[in-house]
Amino acid sequence: MGWGMPVRPPTPSTPARVQALYELCKRTFPSPPSVVAAVASSASPPPDHAIRAISSLMDTITPADVGLRDGNPEEDGRGFGFFGSNLMRDSERVARWAQPITYLHVYECDAFSIGIFCLPTSAVIPLHDHPGMTVLSKLLYGSMHVKSYDWVEPAVLASSKSVRLGKLHKDDVLNAPCPTAILYPQSGGNMHCFTSVNSCAVLDVIAPPYSESAGRVCSYYHDYPFSSFSAGNAKTVHRPDSYAWLETINTPVNINMRPGMYTGPTVQEHLS
């Protein structure tokens, strides 16, 4: 599927960057296997040089390229409960998670999706995973705190609670412009959460997209400090602050997310 791409593709003119991103993703990400095969196994991501080519192109994309100004569209409007539940345990978390997040759909097929998350100040996308997925995220404008983990392998479980040990990958504030972040199925911070420091927008390429029928279901987690529990199987760690116990949240999380109108260049889909 055309994985022999240069590490840094030629930079297209501004109006063509979204189309170039679509075409590069189309060549890089193959269609996933049948539903039965997808559930039974997880395909390996494309070669690193192919992913880096997409990352390099995304590094050149600006808010204007996707029809945005440096501000969240309709920031004071009302959203809707995207996942529909009332898990929140305290008023501060309710207030933060209640901030409406706008999702702008650019393109989606079975192999990948392109979209933009617009977050008002102090909005939160809670800790969640990307099973079997490769994700590229470009902060278009604003500032955002990112905290991410990968699982410790082989799995380390706590002795007194149903939690699993994760290793901290990133805990930092990103300020646009900054390099595109990449996460892989088992590395790069596959489980992450976002908190907007101020109004910001993130361009995401997700390959393949979430699919319940294919077994790619989003799970949410609560993280506890390493000192909260002891390991059931012996585990000595250096720098315990770099580890956390992650507990799966079984109740669907209520994220106040709404669809917005994407006003950037329309992708011209090539049928093949």
Side-chain angles (χ1 to χ4, degrees):
M1 291 291 296
W3 283 349
M5 303 300 300
V7 173
R8 180 171 294 275
T11 301
S13 60
T14 296
R17 283 176 182 154
V18 172
Q19 184 66 26
L21 178 61
Y22 157 76
E23 292 176 356
L24 190 53
C25 289
K26 192 76 171 177
R27 293 194 295 268
T28 301
F29 299 116
S31 296
S34 66
V35 170
V36 174
V39 173
S41 63
S42 178
S44 298
D48 185 65
H49 71 267
I51 298 298
R52 293 292 174 186
I54 298 176
S55 173
S56 295
L57 176 56
M58 292 177 68
D59 284 343
T60 70
I61 295 178
T62 67
D65 293 333
V66 292
L68 291 179
R69 297 190 301 269
D70 287 1
N72 194 45
E74 304 170 2
E75 184 163 324
D76 58 351
R78 296 184 61 188
F80 59 88
F82 189 63
F83 291 98
S85 100
N86 55 2
L87 173 74
M88 278 59 76
R89 299 172 183 171
D90 59 76
S91 58
E92 179 183 358
R93 183 168 293 182
V94 169
R96 294 169 70 203
W97 287 12
Q99 293 290 327
I101 297 167
T102 303
Y103 179 72
L104 308 179
H105 170 82
V106 179
Y107 177 81
E108 182 170 340
C109 63
D110 289 344
F112 64 93
S113 67
I114 304 173
I116 303 166
F117 291 91
C118 300
L119 289 75
T121 302
S122 299
V124 175
I125 298 179
L127 188 62
H128 63 284
D129 66 358
H130 308 81
M133 303 176 192
T134 299
V135 180
L136 297 95
S137 300
K138 163 67 175 177
L139 185 63
L140 293 168
Y141 64 78
S143 300
M144 180 174 67
H145 178 262
V146 178
K147 192 174 189 179
S148 62
Y149 299 93
D150 291 305
W151 292 121
V152 170
E153 297 290 355
V156 177
L157 307 177
S159 56
S160 59
K161 190 174 178 66
S162 181
V163 293
R164 181 177 170 183
L165 192 63
K167 190 175 191 307
L168 185 66
H169 175 77
K170 181 183 289 290
D171 186 6
D172 200 5
V173 173
L174 304 181
N175 300 288
C178 56
T180 299
I182 308 170
L183 66 83
Y184 296 93
Q186 296 179 333
S187 64
N190 186 272
M191 295 164 286
H192 65 198
C193 59
F194 296 156
T195 302
S196 54
V197 177
N198 52 38
S199 180
C200 63
V202 182
L203 172 65
D204 263 4
V205 171
I206 302 177
Y210 290 106
S211 170
E212 186 172 353
S213 62
R216 296 187 300 274
V217 179
C218 184
S219 296
Y220 289 86
Y221 300 89
H222 182 75
D223 55 344
Y224 298 92
F226 180 75
S227 59
S228 300
F229 309 103
S230 59
N233 44 329
K235 176 69 179 179
T236 301
V237 301
H238 303 286
R239 299 179 60 198
D241 288 348
S242 296
Y243 294 84
W245 297 104
L246 305 183
E247 177 185 25
T248 303
I249 297 174
N250 294 319
T251 306
V253 172
N254 182 22
I255 302 179
N256 196 11
M257 191 174 296
R258 63 188 176 187
M261 180 175 294
Y262 170 66
T263 59
T266 302
V267 167
Q268 302 301 313
E269 184 172 6
H270 300 318
L271 301 179
S272 57

